Amino acid sequence: MNIQPEGAVRSGARWRFAGPYIWYNSGETATGIITGQRELEFHDAGASWEKPSNQTVNIAGGQTATVTVTYRPASGTLNVTIEPNEAIRAGTQWKVGDRPWKRSGESESLPAGQHRIEVSVPQGWALSALGPVNITAGQQTLATVTLRRVEEPLRGGQLRVRIEPQEAVAAGAKWRTDGGPWQDSNASIPSLSAGQHRVEYKNIDKWTAPPPETVNVPAGGSAITTGRYNRR
């Protein structure tokens, strides 16, 4: 029996034949089993994982039956309200990760854990500070996104971010500002409003992303910063 993913195994995922029998770890083989159809059941792996339903396996004499099962991350629901109504009418929407854009008041099912909301900010509006949200398995999380009007369109300065080392860039390292779309290393964003902007870096496998930082973009000028990833 093979259980995946490894995170579920570390959290206590195990298996056994249904009934008062001993539990086995992933990768272990049960021997001396009576032939025929047998029901398998799976141990809880904590609140962060959903265990598979019981399965039936056919045990043939002199043969080894191999089964692979997958625990799924437990999920919760995120519901986001966008304020004020004028920002909604201007076209503001939200999403998480690669999922489709959603309107104010709509919900998204997400794996338990921390997630960051991305917001499409219309011209003439600015997004207030927005931190990560924590999704709890089996529960609904409510979040509010607040925008404010700006007197002038967001323009006036340019921001460029360099990512190091090149190996991290090749592995998919990216950056973004103010919750916008992800950008490649050395990409520039023109016409940013003068003032402070939040820069954050994308999490990628086998690398530790730099912490978010605040960069001051001068009116009519350019700001350049460097984010360095560290190999884990």
Side-chain angles (χ1 to χ4, degrees):
M1 169 67 69
N2 297 310
I3 298 174
Q4 58 186 23
E6 184 62 30
V9 175
R10 291 195 298 267
S11 295
R14 290 178 291 169
W15 69 278
R16 72 178 179 184
F17 294 101
Y21 301 106
I22 63 171
W23 291 101
Y24 292 92
N25 294 318
S26 176
E28 289 188 321
T29 301
T31 59
I33 307 303
I34 298 175
T35 58
Q37 289 192 335
R38 301 294 302 276
E39 183 179 6
L40 305 177
E41 63 180 350
F42 305 95
H43 197 278
D44 289 334
S48 297
W49 297 95
E50 295 179 359
K51 68 179 181 180
S53 302
N54 288 9
Q55 296 187 16
T56 299
V57 61
N58 186 60
I59 306 298
Q63 299 182 19
T64 299
T66 301
V67 178
T68 299
V69 297
T70 301
Y71 281 64
R72 295 184 177 180
S75 61
T77 302
L78 173 63
N79 182 281
V80 175
T81 299
I82 297 172
E83 296 180 346
N85 288 333
E86 290 84 352
I88 298 174
R89 290 194 290 268
T92 305
Q93 294 183 313
W94 68 276
K95 70 174 183 176
V96 174
D98 296 329
R99 292 170 170 79
W101 289 101
K102 290 189 172 292
R103 295 185 294 271
S104 177
E106 292 186 327
S107 297
E108 182 74 83
S109 179
L110 296 168
Q114 279 199 344
H115 297 271
R116 184 169 292 278
I117 301 171
E118 295 184 34
V119 180
S120 62
V121 180
Q123 188 174 23
W125 292 85
L127 179 66
S128 299
L130 185 64
V133 293
N134 189 63
I135 303 300
T136 302
Q139 297 184 20
Q140 183 183 63
T141 298
L142 303 177
T144 299
V145 170
T146 304
L147 291 87
R148 67 184 187 279
R149 280 191 179 276
V150 292
E151 293 183 0
E152 297 292 336
L154 298 180
R155 64 171 182 259
Q158 178 174 285
L159 172 63
R160 181 162 68 92
V161 177
R162 180 187 302 112
I163 295 176
E164 297 177 348
Q166 186 59 39
E167 290 88 345
V169 175
K174 294 180 182 294
W175 67 276
R176 66 180 176 189
T177 183
D178 300 332
W182 292 109
Q183 307 287 334
D184 294 328
S185 177
N186 283 317
S188 296
I189 299 180
S191 302
L192 283 178
S193 60
Q196 292 187 335
H197 292 268
R198 175 185 171 90
V199 174
E200 59 182 330
Y201 300 88
K202 188 175 184 180
N203 292 322
I204 58 175
D205 290 340
K206 300 181 181 179
W207 293 87
T208 300
E213 59 180 306
T214 299
V215 178
N216 187 63
V217 176
S222 298
I224 301 175
T225 188
T226 300
R228 183 169 186 82
Y229 282 68
N230 292 310
R231 190 184 294 275
R232 289 201 293 264

